[in-house]
């Protein structure tokens, strides 16, 4: 069967930017901003995500492979209405059959060097006692998050991630350089709906969700807050740099965690930063962001790195 040109995958596999773009499209689908059946327009997505149309096109092909979007009758893609869709690809896997816990076990084993760079589905299924459907959902999620890629023909390859305390500390110093600067960029344009939505997510955490959400979801919510603020800079270098750091930080964040009572304080700081931005007090917001990153970075790097116990979890970032 001939595949339409706009749905063919280029040689060499998806780039990191394509995978990050795919993850952001999945976030919008999962949040209900792109309901099932919605026709996905490359130009509109590119403008929304502040990237060119090329990574959007690649991201849609990747999500079509994962069953999140489906080919449209007249070309292009629509949000899938059947099959394992965005809830499987972009959010925590359903806890009732144990796959969320297995996802975290795989993350911990990779961080501890217990998994090789290249793995097969058969080896993973045997090691973690997974049924084919469970393994597919976990690999789909990890692929969208960007820390594993399918090899041509057979097997999977884990991507580089932060594993050492030194690199972890360096990542915070890097963020201290770019994030406040992004808020002060001359081209900064407040995306009010996006910042209001990010603030509302943080407020829901403060209202009680912080005690019930799982580790991965909390990390994603807090990453999203910082990336939403940086995106308002309209500076592609700041935006891309923070997204890259967030991708390689993911696994070590699951371990170098704050207790949830400390995380409440950091979420409160997120809300205050959002309020300052919404009030057009950018200089104050940039200073509060600098103070926030300095404090939470010190707290995170002072931890001993042991797996979190009861009441712990990846805290605001």
């Amino acid at each position: 069967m001939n595949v339409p040109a706009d749905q063919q995958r280029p040689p060499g596999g998806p780039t990191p930017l394509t995978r990050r773009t795919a993850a952001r499209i999945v976030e919008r689908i999962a949040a209900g901003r792109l309901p099932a059946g919605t026709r996905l327009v490359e130009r509109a997505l590119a403008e929304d995500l502040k990237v060119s149309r090329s990574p959007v096109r690649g991201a849609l092909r990747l999500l079509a492979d994962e069953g999140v979007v489906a080919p449209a009758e007249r070309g292009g893609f629509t949000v899938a209405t059947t099959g394992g869709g965005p809830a499987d690809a972009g959010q925590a896997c359903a806890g009732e059959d144990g796959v969320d816990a297995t996802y975290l076990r795989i993350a911990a084993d990779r961080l501890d060097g217990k998994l090789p760079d290249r793995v097969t589905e058969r080896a993973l299924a045997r090691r973690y006692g997974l049924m084919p459907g469970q393994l597919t959902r976990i690999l789909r999620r990890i692929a969208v998050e960007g820390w594993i890629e399918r090899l041509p023909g057979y097997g999977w390859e884990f991507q580089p991630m932060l594993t050492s305390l030194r690199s972890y500390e360096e990542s915070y110093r890097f963020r201290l350089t770019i994030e406040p600067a992004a808020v002060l960029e001359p081209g900064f344009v407040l995306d009010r709906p996006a910042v209001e939505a990010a603030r509302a997510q943080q407020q829901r955490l403060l209202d009680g969700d912080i005690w019930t959400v799982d580790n991965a979801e909390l990390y994603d919510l807090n990453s999203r807050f910082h990336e939403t603020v940086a995106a308002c800079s309209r500076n592609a270098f700041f935006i891309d740099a923070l997204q890259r750091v967030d991708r390689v930080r993911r696994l070590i964040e699951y371990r170098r965690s704050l207790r949830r009572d400390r995380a409440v304080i950091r979420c409160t700081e997120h809300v205050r930063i959002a309020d300052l931005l919404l009030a057009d007090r950018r200089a104050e917001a940039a200073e509060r962001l600098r103070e926030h990153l300095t404090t939470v970075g010190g707290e995170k790097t002072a931890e001993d790195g042991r797996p979190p116990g009861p009441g712990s979890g990846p805290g605001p970032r």
Side-chain angles (χ1 to χ4, degrees):
M1 181 179 70
N2 292 328
V3 179
D6 68 338
Q7 296 173 19
Q8 294 176 358
R9 179 185 292 280
T15 66
L17 177 58
T18 295
R19 290 193 174 278
R20 290 195 298 275
T21 303
R24 296 172 68 193
I25 293 172
V26 167
E27 287 179 359
R28 283 155 173 75
I29 296 172
R33 292 171 59 182
L34 298 171
T38 299
R39 186 176 183 83
L40 300 168
V41 180
E42 285 183 12
R43 178 183 297 176
L45 284 172
E47 292 176 354
D48 181 32
L49 300 173
K50 299 178 178 62
V51 296
S52 69
R53 293 176 66 176
S54 179
V56 170
R57 187 175 303 118
L60 291 174
R61 296 189 190 104
L62 175 61
L63 294 177
D65 289 347
E66 304 296 347
V68 179
V69 303
E73 292 182 359
R74 292 175 293 175
F77 298 93
T78 61
V79 178
T81 56
T82 60
D88 287 331
Q91 295 181 316
C93 302
E96 62 213 319
D97 56 5
V99 289
D100 187 49
T102 304
Y103 163 88
L104 293 174
R105 284 179 57 202
I106 293 173
D109 286 350
R110 178 59 184 166
L111 193 60
D112 289 336
K114 296 179 180 179
L115 289 172
D117 290 343
R118 295 190 175 191
V119 293
T120 65
E121 293 185 19
R122 178 178 297 179
L124 288 173
R126 183 169 59 248
R127 180 184 181 100
Y128 297 102
L130 294 168
M131 299 293 290
Q134 295 173 320
L135 179 60
T136 296
R137 292 203 300 278
I138 291 174
L139 286 173
R140 181 181 293 165
R141 175 186 176 184
I142 296 174
V144 169
E145 289 176 350
W147 50 285
I148 199 171
E149 288 189 4
R150 187 190 295 274
L151 292 169
Y154 186 70
W156 296 77
E157 183 174 42
F158 286 107
Q159 301 303 294
M161 305 293 287
L162 297 186
T163 58
S164 72
L165 178 58
R166 178 176 178 178
S167 60
Y168 187 66
E169 292 173 336
E170 289 171 348
S171 74
Y172 266 99
R173 290 199 296 274
F174 179 70
R175 290 177 60 204
L176 268 170
T177 300
I178 66 167
E179 291 195 49
V183 174
L184 298 175
E185 268 292 279
F188 186 98
V189 177
L190 182 70
D191 185 343
R192 184 170 291 272
V195 172
E196 288 177 342
R199 184 198 185 283
Q201 289 173 334
Q202 293 295 310
Q203 188 61 54
R204 284 194 292 272
L205 290 172
L206 291 175
D207 290 342
D209 284 0
I210 200 167
W211 303 103
T212 58
V213 297
D214 63 32
N215 292 352
E217 185 177 358
L218 186 56
Y219 173 79
D220 287 336
L221 287 171
N222 292 319
S223 298
R224 196 174 307 159
F225 176 84
H226 284 263
E227 291 183 11
T228 296
V229 172
C232 295
S233 71
R234 302 294 181 93
N235 184 318
F237 292 95
F238 284 140
I239 296 168
D240 184 65
L242 182 57
Q243 290 172 349
R244 286 173 182 267
V245 170
D246 284 346
R247 180 173 60 85
V248 299
R249 291 165 54 84
R250 176 177 291 274
L251 299 192
I252 202 167
E253 282 286 352
Y254 289 169
R255 175 161 299 171
R256 306 205 65 83
S257 57
L258 296 178
R259 294 188 60 86
R260 295 289 170 108
D261 55 352
R262 301 298 301 171
V264 169
I265 297 173
R266 303 308 159 215
C267 281
T268 302
E269 293 171 351
H270 285 166
V271 170
R272 179 56 177 160
I273 291 166
D275 286 341
L276 289 169
L277 289 171
L278 293 168
D280 196 26
R281 295 160 62 182
R282 277 201 290 149
E284 293 177 67
E287 185 56 34
R288 286 296 183 99
L289 181 56
R290 185 185 307 279
E291 293 171 357
H292 166 77
L293 289 170
T294 299
T295 303
V296 74
E299 290 178 337
K300 290 286 191 70
T301 55
E303 297 290 334
D304 62 8
R306 290 175 296 181
S312 299
R317 318 162 46 264

